[in-house]
Amino acid sequence: MNKFVGGTKGQRLLVGLIIVQGGCALFFVLEIILTILGARATPISWHIRELLEIGAAVGLILGTTLGLIALRAAMRQRAVAEESLRVVRSAFRDHVFEQFTHWGLTSAEADVALFTLKGLSVAEIAGLRETSEGTVKAQSNAIYRKAGVSSRAQLLSLFIEDMMDEGSDLSD
């Protein structure tokens, strides 16, 4: 995991970064408030004041830089995760259609099976396919018979079992 974003070490670094930036910002805000209210009890020399301001400014610049590094690392991690998800989706889709071919589903049955796996009702599938509910029910029964199951839940469970099977290509 990236040292700036992930894990405990990264979390501590980001918390430290927030504290440093907050302290530096607080320094500047308090400096202005004390000046406006005239509440400074003992004035500090301009050398010390300049050093404090330079330190606070450096702290803010450092915080901004590290924040940008952390943001870039998070964006890279997100891109990697999105690519991984894309690969898994593609592999799952390929697996689903390989099963449909293995079962000998017709094109219409494959459409119905896919909509069924997505959780659509018979009425919704009929509406999308512009066919009757009776036709969808008949196609569903043919799908269940060819897949060796007796219900939509069992059909779905075939694919869930494949995903959870440690020996399957989808678990890599």
Side-chain angles (χ1 to χ4, degrees), residues 117 149 152-162:
L117 290 174
V149 297
R152 104 182 357 234
Q154 287 180 347
L155 180 69
L156 181 59
S157 73
L158 289 176
F159 292 100
I160 292 173
E161 286 175 19
D162 285 346

Side-chain angles (χ1 to χ4, degrees), residues 3 80 123 162:
K3 65 182 179 178
V80 167
D162 285 346

Side-chain angles (χ1 to χ4, degrees), residues 17 19 44 58 62 66 81 84 96 100 120 132 137 150:
L17 176 68
I19 290 170
I44 56 175
V58 167
L62 179 63
L66 292 176
S84 177
V96 166
F100 291 174
L120 277 66
S132 71
K137 287 178 184 178
S150 61

Side-chain angles (χ1 to χ4, degrees), residues 53-91:
E53 288 179 0
I54 289 171
V58 167
L60 288 171
I61 291 169
L62 179 63
T64 301
T65 302
L66 292 176
L68 288 172
I69 291 169
L71 176 64
R72 229 174 74 193
M75 290 172 69
R76 274 195 307 269
Q77 285 179 337
R78 179 180 177 172
V80 167
E82 286 175 348
E83 176 60 18
S84 177
L85 181 59
R86 188 193 63 75
V87 168
V88 169
R89 282 181 179 157
S90 177

Side-chain angles (χ1 to χ4, degrees), residues 13-166:
L13 179 63
L14 287 176
V15 168
L17 176 68
I18 290 168
I19 290 170
V20 168
Q21 282 190 301
C24 293
L26 186 63
F27 167 78
F28 284 119
V29 170
L30 285 176
E31 188 70 23
I32 292 168
I33 291 172
L34 290 174
T35 301
I36 290 172
L37 298 176
R40 189 175 303 278
T42 56
I44 56 175
S45 73
W46 69 272
H47 294 291
I48 294 174
R49 181 184 175 118
E50 292 295 320
L51 288 175
L52 287 172
E53 288 179 0
I54 289 171
V58 167
L60 288 171
I61 291 169
L62 179 63
T64 301
T65 302
L66 292 176
L68 288 172
I69 291 169
L71 176 64
R72 229 174 74 193
M75 290 172 69
R76 274 195 307 269
Q77 285 179 337
R78 179 180 177 172
V80 167
E82 286 175 348
E83 176 60 18
S84 177
L85 181 59
R86 188 193 63 75
V87 168
V88 169
R89 282 181 179 157
S90 177
F92 182 70
R93 186 179 1 264
D94 292 346
H95 176 70
V96 166
F97 286 109
E98 283 176 23
Q99 276 302 126
F100 291 174
T101 301
H102 176 73
W103 293 333
L105 299 185
T106 65
S107 176
E109 290 169 345
D111 285 347
V112 171
L114 191 59
F115 288 139
T116 299
L117 290 174
K118 290 182 176 185
L120 277 66
S121 70
V122 170
E124 290 170 323
I125 296 170
L128 287 171
R129 300 206 68 249
E130 297 178 351
T131 187
S132 71
E133 289 184 29
T135 301
V136 172
K137 287 178 184 178
Q139 290 168 328
S140 295
N141 287 330
I143 294 164
Y144 301 153
R145 181 179 36 79
K146 291 177 179 182
V149 297
S150 61
S151 68
R152 104 182 357 234
Q154 287 180 347
L155 180 69
L156 181 59
S157 73
L158 289 176
F159 292 100
I160 292 173
E161 286 175 19
D162 285 346
M163 285 190 302
M164 296 176 71
D165 181 16
E166 289 184 32

